[in-house]
Amino acid sequence: MTRSTWPYPGSRWWKIDLHTHTPASLDTAAWQAAVGTTNEITPEKWLIRWMLAGLDAVAITDHNTGAWIDPLKSAYSAMKASADAGSPPDGFRELTLFPGVEISVQGGWHLLAIFGPEATTETVTRLLGLVDYGGQSGDSDGVTRTGAAEVVRAVHEARGLAIPAHADQGKGLLQCEPGTRSSRLDPNTIRAVLAESDLLAMEWVDPDLQAPALYDEGGHRHARVLGSDSHSFQGSAVPGSRFTWFKAGALTLEGLRLALLDGDGVSVRRSDEERFEAYRTPGHFLKRLEIHEARVMGRGAAQVLDFSPYCNALIGGRGTGKSTVVHALRLALHRDGEVLDGLSEESSPHRDFRRFKQTAQGRSGEGALRDDTEIRLVYSRDGLDHRLTYMAADHSVRIEDFDEATGDWRLAGSQAFAAGRFPVRLFSQGQIAAMASDGRQALLTVIDEAEPKLPALKQGFEEAKRSYLALRAQQRELQGRLAETPELERRRDELQRKLAAFEQSHHAEVLMAFQQAQRQGREIEGLLEALSDYARRIDGLDQALLLDDWPEGVFDATTDADALAWRGEAQGSLDETRRTLQRARETLRTAIVNLQRDERLEAWRARAGAAGQAYEALKMALAAQGVEDPQEFGRLVQERQQLDVQHRQFQDLEQRLEDLRKKMETQWTLVLDRRAQISTQREAFLSTKLAANEFVRMEVVRFGYDERMLEKSLRDLLDASSHFASDIWNGQAGRSGAGLVSILAQGTDRDAALADIKQRLIGVDAGFGGHFHNHLQKKLSSQPEFADRIQCWFPEDDLKIEYSRGGGAGFSPIGQGSAGQRAAALLAFLLSFGVEPLILDQPEDDLDNQMIYDLVVRQIRENKLRRQLLTVTHNPNIVVNGDAELVLAFEYSRGQCLVRRDHSGSLQNTSVRKTVCDVMEGGHEAFARRWARLGREI
């Protein structure tokens, strides 16, 4: 990405070399030697070399001369004209030239004076005259007759930037004696220069070198920039070898000045810094918002807002539409409930948003939307653009993907707003205030969504509970089936006694022999019947073996004699098969007769007859003893076999139940472990994110400490929205004591207290009141799984929050703080983590200006290095000192809220700065009067 392809509004990074030389500097030996030859460096050649190095701008800073400034500007103008006409010179790219000079100052040190692009050779010549430079133009050996501090002041009065050149090296303002931190220059000279308030930066070559001790003693903090100090196109100091990144809206001297005011790490970065990517944008950011046909925005023509990927400030008076933008983003991002969950339905954030998203009916109706309102948001996600369109007509959101092949939008395959698909954090001052008072559960939700490991841990916990509940359901089923075990054992014992009586009278052998003979007889008769059936089936088959006659006239007896002969052979084969079957049938029938007369069968019949006679004799004997049914033995034997089978099945069930108990123990341990992991990970998250936070401390309280939340959770579990106050505790003033909530809230060992409460509930403790006792018994008897739900009940964690006025000392419970202190503490936390876009709606409300500067401004600067920020604000500290890359100014005009395009952009834009002063400071005169009155006293 380059200066010509950067697509986003507001400030951006520019690659600038603030220290370069041309052949106008006499110490450029190689260039001087080439004068008059084919290798002579011309302005065009010089420019192309810097263009090829990928620079966006260079400062022309020859030694004590501006001779090459006008020739370079003329050459560039001609090259630019050719490029605009479609014939750019080879290697051409846009390059901004900052005229300047490297002045040799009294005392033997060098100073860069840099002017805006409009400056000329004459500008430099005039400055050199003002500081009374007495040496040769282009030479670096002479010095100014004007003193050091006066030279710096003269540069500033000439509307230039004064930057000591290579301050840590030879001829540098802050060079130290070798091995010491003693300055080589006169300390008084250095102090006088450093006292110049408009001195904003130093060129510093070696980041490992320290400044003289007097510099630190004075508390100075100047931006450290880096230039190539190139004197040729060979060696190490060549175009692109050393440079500085500046963040600005455009390449102007005012843009450089503002960047230097912001300083290192914010708007100034050196080329020798590691891991700095100038064109890196956050992985996720909002690119564009369009509001069509809302009640007071986008009527007739859509209101379009293009955002910077970094810090955006939305400013304007009350009622100009800033909060409309925030609410519109909430709808487009499908964040209707985000963060509002856990807050009271009657809280200010809920009420404001409910009013906004209503469709207005009539001129006086409440609501900011109309039936034809559409809100379109372009969201950049991992380099791909998506468009989210909210339609007020049916309150739906459509997701589209940008198709680079067609250059148009197409409906996305998935319309689901899955977690993490379009991440964003959106907070209003009302939400922050609500979370700081009674909205800790909403704050806990924020933590859970911000810590990447927590969603998986919570899902794992729920899965562990589901598995445990499933095992408990299996256990109840097995226990239900095993409930018949005592009756089964009783019946087995009774049958055993009866069978023993039969066996003792030797009746069993006779009955068993008779029954065996009967079964054998049935098998033998069945076999003979089967053989007879086969003979009948053969008989039917041979009757079916017939060929249909061929139709008369189809074949001719003479011409088709061969085919007719062939058919005859086929008929013969079939006839032979029929005869074979008839012979087989007769053979089988003969075999059946022989089998029926076989002497072996006769021997069996004799045995069977003897068993029958013995059975008849037994019947007579049993009849004489009063037993009417000799078959009772067989029935009892069969019944015992059936009961034995059931007994073995029950034994298997017992083993399965035992195995299930072991699984349940393991699974319950897993449930406890995963629930503990959630609290532990929350603690680790807070410990990491708040380790160095001077404004807020948070501690996770396992299973909560807020008795109202505990009571609500317990009542929801027990389906007891009211009543039973003496047993549950309902938060009545003056109550204390023995209720279940109090046991948990006041217990030192919360795990043991929670286990005790569950045991008392499941066991229906005798100490409960009668109505509560009956309620529990009814629930437990009618809903077998009710006890399981009690067992798996774990109250949510709570947060113990403490705040400090700053400095990391004197922390107090947040409930003791003022509204501003509570909001400051929560805001400090919310700004301490996350990489997703962060939208803040007037975060400064309830905060004093010192808190805003110490807390909000500092953390905004840190946040925008890793995430996009959109801040609606009325406070100039956030916009100016927070270094907003893009300022969007709103106004209300003719019944519509609008963005003032001519007053929006980067802070280096004069109209933007004036708007900030007018809107946020009451105008330039009011600001100047306040400053004048305060300045005399501070």
Side-chain angles (χ1 to χ4, degrees), residues 176-183 210-216:
C176 292
E177 293 289 351
T180 73
R181 294 195 64 189
S182 299
S183 62
Q210 290 184 298
L214 65 87
Y215 182 85
D216 292 339

Side-chain angles (χ1 to χ4, degrees), residues 13 275-281 310:
W13 289 102
R275 297 185 295 278
F276 174 65
E277 302 174 60
Y279 300 123
R280 182 186 65 82
T281 58
Y310 308 117

Side-chain angles (χ1 to χ4, degrees), residues 123-189:
T123 305
V124 171
T125 302
R126 190 183 309 116
L127 174 64
L128 292 171
L130 288 172
V131 299
D132 200 9
Y133 174 71
Q136 180 182 359
S137 294
D139 194 356
S140 63
D141 291 336
V143 296
T144 64
R145 296 185 180 91
T146 302
E150 287 78 7
V151 172
V152 173
R153 195 174 307 123
V155 173
H156 292 149
E157 290 174 352
R159 306 186 69 177
L161 283 177
I163 302 175
H166 38 75
D168 59 328
Q169 304 291 310
K171 298 184 179 180
L173 176 68
L174 299 179
Q175 186 182 11
C176 292
E177 293 289 351
T180 73
R181 294 195 64 189
S182 299
S183 62
R184 298 192 68 176
L185 292 183
D186 172 52
N188 291 326
T189 298

Side-chain angles (χ1 to χ4, degrees), residues 148 248 391 450 480 764 790 883 886:
M391 292 161 285
V764 191
I790 294 174
D883 183 38
L886 177 64

Side-chain angles (χ1 to χ4, degrees), residues 35 89 213 248 263 290 404 508 517 539 575 611 634 648 691 693 739 819 847 920 932:
V35 173
E290 299 177 11
E404 294 187 357
D539 186 43
D575 291 343
R648 287 193 296 272
N693 199 295
L847 305 183
M920 298 183 156

Side-chain angles (χ1 to χ4, degrees), residues 341-387:
D341 291 338
L343 302 183
S344 167
E345 288 288 335
E346 298 308 313
S347 64
S348 175
H350 268 292
R351 291 196 305 271
D352 292 346
F353 185 61
R354 280 201 304 270
R355 282 195 295 267
F356 173 83
K357 71 176 184 178
Q358 291 179 11
T359 301
Q361 303 298 323
R363 299 177 68 87
S364 60
E366 194 172 69
L369 306 181
R370 293 157 36 98
D371 288 334
D372 56 348
T373 299
E374 286 194 4
I375 301 168
R376 301 172 189 166
L377 174 66
V378 178
Y379 188 109
S380 178
R381 179 175 178 270
D382 298 328
L384 300 177
D385 287 350
H386 310 271
R387 187 167 68 180

Side-chain angles (χ1 to χ4, degrees), residues 587-877:
T587 300
L588 182 55
R589 285 177 175 171
T590 301
I592 291 171
V593 172
N594 292 335
L595 285 170
Q596 289 175 333
R597 297 172 181 172
D598 192 285
E599 61 182 9
R600 290 168 293 182
L601 185 58
E602 290 299 326
W604 173 82
R605 285 173 176 157
R607 291 198 303 275
Q613 292 172 1
Y615 175 70
E616 291 298 326
L618 175 61
K619 284 176 63 176
M620 293 175 62
L622 289 175
Q625 297 175 11
V627 177
E628 297 296 334
D629 186 6
Q631 298 296 329
E632 181 74 9
F633 179 80
R635 185 185 66 77
L636 294 176
V637 170
Q638 184 178 7
E639 187 175 350
R640 187 178 68 175
Q641 292 172 342
Q642 293 173 348
L643 292 178
D644 286 344
V645 171
Q646 285 184 277
H647 181 68
R648 287 193 296 272
Q649 290 174 345
F650 278 25
Q651 286 180 322
D652 291 341
L653 290 178
E654 288 281 5
Q655 185 58 50
R656 286 174 57 189
L657 187 61
E658 181 59 29
D659 294 342
L660 193 61
R661 288 193 190 97
K662 294 178 181 178
K663 287 183 181 179
M664 286 172 56
E665 290 177 2
T666 301
Q667 188 64 30
W668 182 245
T669 300
L670 183 62
V671 170
L672 296 176
D673 180 62
R674 289 191 171 173
R675 179 58 183 84
Q677 287 178 17
I678 293 174
S679 297
T680 301
Q681 194 61 45
R682 288 168 172 166
E683 292 166 354
F685 176 82
L686 292 175
S687 175
T688 300
K689 300 304 180 184
L690 298 178
N693 199 295
E694 300 176 354
F695 295 90
V696 64
R697 289 194 312 207
M698 291 189 188
E699 177 185 339
V700 174
V701 182
R702 290 191 64 192
F703 309 143
Y705 69 90
D706 186 288
E707 292 176 325
R708 291 171 300 172
M709 295 300 298
L710 289 173
E711 179 184 13
K712 182 180 183 304
S713 177
L714 188 55
R715 287 188 177 278
D716 290 344
L717 170 72
L718 301 178
D719 192 19
S721 58
S722 60
H723 309 303
F724 317 128
S726 60
D727 297 292
I728 294 178
W729 185 89
N730 64 358
Q732 293 175 348
R735 285 196 55 84
S736 62
L740 297 175
V741 169
S742 298
I743 291 174
L744 184 57
Q746 299 170 12
T748 55
D749 186 343
R750 304 182 76 84
D751 293 279
L754 182 60
D756 177 57
I757 289 173
K758 292 178 181 180
Q759 183 178 358
R760 293 181 63 187
L761 289 170
I762 295 172
V764 191
D765 193 290
F768 290 146
H771 292 296
F772 189 52
H773 192 279
N774 294 338
H775 174 78
L776 289 176
Q777 282 192 325
K778 182 178 179 181
K779 297 285 287 185
L780 289 165
S781 60
S782 63
Q783 301 176 22
E785 72 282 359
F786 185 61
D788 300 340
R789 294 204 302 270
I790 294 174
Q791 184 68 21
C792 289
W793 173 61
F794 293 89
E796 186 54 277
D797 292 338
D798 204 337
L799 295 171
K800 181 180 179 182
I801 308 174
E802 296 179 317
Y803 80 98
S804 171
R805 296 177 183 273
F811 281 89
S812 304
I814 196 168
Q816 298 177 8
S818 66
Q821 289 164 337
R822 293 197 303 269
L826 262 294
L827 189 57
F829 171 67
L830 296 173
L831 289 170
S832 67
F833 60 89
V835 294
E836 64 282 316
L838 177 62
I839 303 168
L840 296 172
D841 187 2
Q842 296 176 209
E844 72 275 8
D845 285 7
D846 294 330
L847 305 183
D848 58 51
N849 276 322
Q850 187 63 48
M851 279 187 178
I852 292 170
Y853 190 81
D854 288 345
L855 169 65
V856 182
V857 169
R858 187 177 69 186
Q859 296 219 49
I860 280 177
R861 284 174 177 263
E862 294 173 356
N863 266 260
K864 68 179 182 177
L865 299 178
R866 66 177 188 271
R867 73 198 308 184
Q868 183 188 44
L869 293 173
L870 273 74
T871 306
V872 174
T873 182
H874 296 283
N875 191 286
N877 270 314

